[in-house]
């Protein structure tokens, strides 16, 4: 019986992993040891490093950031459909323009409303589907809307967050609750970008 075969397979696997790590290190202008420390959990890359890793492997950045929302974790603030990471200084949109973004890149933020008939997660809050909401309670005029946020970044990109996961009747108690939540998220994001 030949016991060398598993060792050869292991050596080839190790060499393949080393080769990929070397390629990644040279492409990202990092030391091989730095990449290895990230893989082994001895150190953690910054957001730019994680974005480079994601680009190299052609995967979304959010796939590299593993956050278990069922556990209270230091540095994470759960705001519903927005998750703040105070350590990395990022925020993650969970419903709307999904992704992870740098907090300090926020320029401004406003509450917006989308007509419920035109709700589309893939293209959230298009301008022609937005609704003007008033505080006046006209029972014949109150329609269903989604409550959200428009976040303008410094590079003029606009990101969208669905604060309400389902349509709310304008001026109902549920509508007011989610509008208040949208205001709280807006204030928290704006405060965080100046910290």
């Amino acid at each position: 019986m030949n016991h060398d075969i598993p060792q050869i397979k292991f050596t080839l696997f190790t060499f393949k992993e080393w080769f990929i790590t070397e390629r990644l290190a040279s492409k990202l202008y990092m030391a091989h040891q730095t990449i290895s420390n990230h893989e082994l959990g001895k150190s953690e890359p910054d957001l730019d490093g994680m974005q480079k890793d994601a680009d190299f492997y052609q995967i979304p950045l959010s796939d590299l950031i593993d956050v278990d929302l069922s556990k209270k974790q230091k540095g994470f603030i759960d705001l519903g459909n927005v998750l703040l990471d105070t350590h990395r200084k990022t925020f993650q949109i969970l419903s709307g323009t999904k992704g992870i973004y740098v907090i300090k890149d926020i320029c401004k933020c406003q509450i917006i409303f989308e007509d419920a008939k035109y709700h589309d997660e893939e293209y959230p809050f298009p301008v022609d589907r937005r609704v003007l909401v008033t505080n006046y309670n006209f029972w014949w005029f109150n329609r269903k809307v989604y409550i959200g946020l428009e976040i303008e970044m410094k590079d003029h990109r606009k990101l969208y967050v669905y604060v309400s996961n389902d349509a709310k009747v304008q001026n109902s108690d549920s509508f007011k609750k989610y509008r208040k939540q949208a205001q709280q998220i807006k204030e928290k994001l704006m405060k965080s970008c100046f910290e």
Side-chain angles (χ1 to χ4, degrees):
M1 184 177 228
N2 189 349
H3 294 288
D4 293 335
I5 294 173
Q7 181 62 37
I8 292 169
K9 283 184 180 178
F10 179 74
T11 304
L12 286 174
F13 177 75
T14 305
F15 176 75
K16 181 180 173 189
E17 290 300 307
W18 175 86
F19 180 74
I20 289 171
T21 305
E22 272 301 310
R23 215 172 95 209
L24 177 62
S26 69
K27 197 142 182 131
L28 301 181
Y29 306 105
M30 290 182 178
H32 176 267
Q33 190 61 42
T34 303
I35 302 289
S36 181
N37 286 340
H38 294 168
E39 289 173 344
L40 296 173
K42 291 181 180 177
S43 66
E44 193 173 289
D46 61 8
L47 187 63
D48 291 334
M50 292 177 84
Q51 184 61 61
K52 288 177 183 177
D53 288 349
D55 293 342
F56 177 81
Y57 289 111
Q58 298 177 341
I59 59 173
L61 176 61
S62 57
D63 287 358
L64 294 178
I65 299 179
D66 182 30
V67 178
D68 184 356
L69 297 176
S70 66
K71 298 177 183 170
K72 286 273 185 197
Q73 296 187 7
K74 253 187 175 175
F76 288 96
I77 301 169
D78 186 354
L79 300 172
N81 286 331
V82 176
L83 181 66
L84 286 179
D85 181 343
T86 57
H87 291 305
R88 289 190 180 106
K89 307 285 187 215
T90 60
F91 66 100
Q92 181 173 6
I93 297 175
L94 304 174
S95 180
T97 315
K98 294 178 183 171
I100 298 172
Y101 307 95
V102 179
I103 293 172
K104 68 179 172 114
D105 290 344
I106 296 173
C107 184
K108 62 182 176 180
C109 183
Q110 66 178 345
I111 299 172
I112 56 176
F113 307 95
E114 178 182 69
D115 192 326
K117 293 185 285 190
Y118 305 106
H119 178 66
D120 184 1
E121 279 276 336
E122 206 165 317
Y123 303 102
F125 297 98
V127 175
D128 61 333
R129 304 295 189 225
R130 293 192 196 163
V131 177
L132 179 63
V133 170
T134 68
N135 288 329
Y136 298 109
N137 196 356
F138 300 114
W139 64 267
W140 67 88
F141 190 67
N142 287 343
R143 61 179 139 208
K144 287 189 171 190
V145 296
Y146 283 87
I147 302 155
L149 293 171
E150 177 183 77
I151 303 167
E152 186 172 337
M153 304 300 275
K154 289 180 181 173
D155 63 3
H156 302 290
R157 275 181 306 155
K158 292 189 178 178
L159 309 175
Y160 299 96
V161 178
Y162 281 106
V163 176
S164 63
N165 291 323
D166 53 0
K168 305 296 175 193
V169 175
Q170 216 175 301
N171 293 316
S172 67
D173 289 340
S174 181
F175 171 87
K176 290 174 185 174
K177 174 187 162 196
Y178 281 95
R179 187 176 189 173
K180 182 178 178 183
Q181 184 182 355
Q183 182 64 34
Q184 290 169 341
I185 294 170
K186 174 185 166 183
E187 289 169 3
K188 189 70 175 169
L189 285 172
M190 295 310 294
K191 181 181 176 197
S192 296
C193 74
F194 293 111
E195 289 179 347

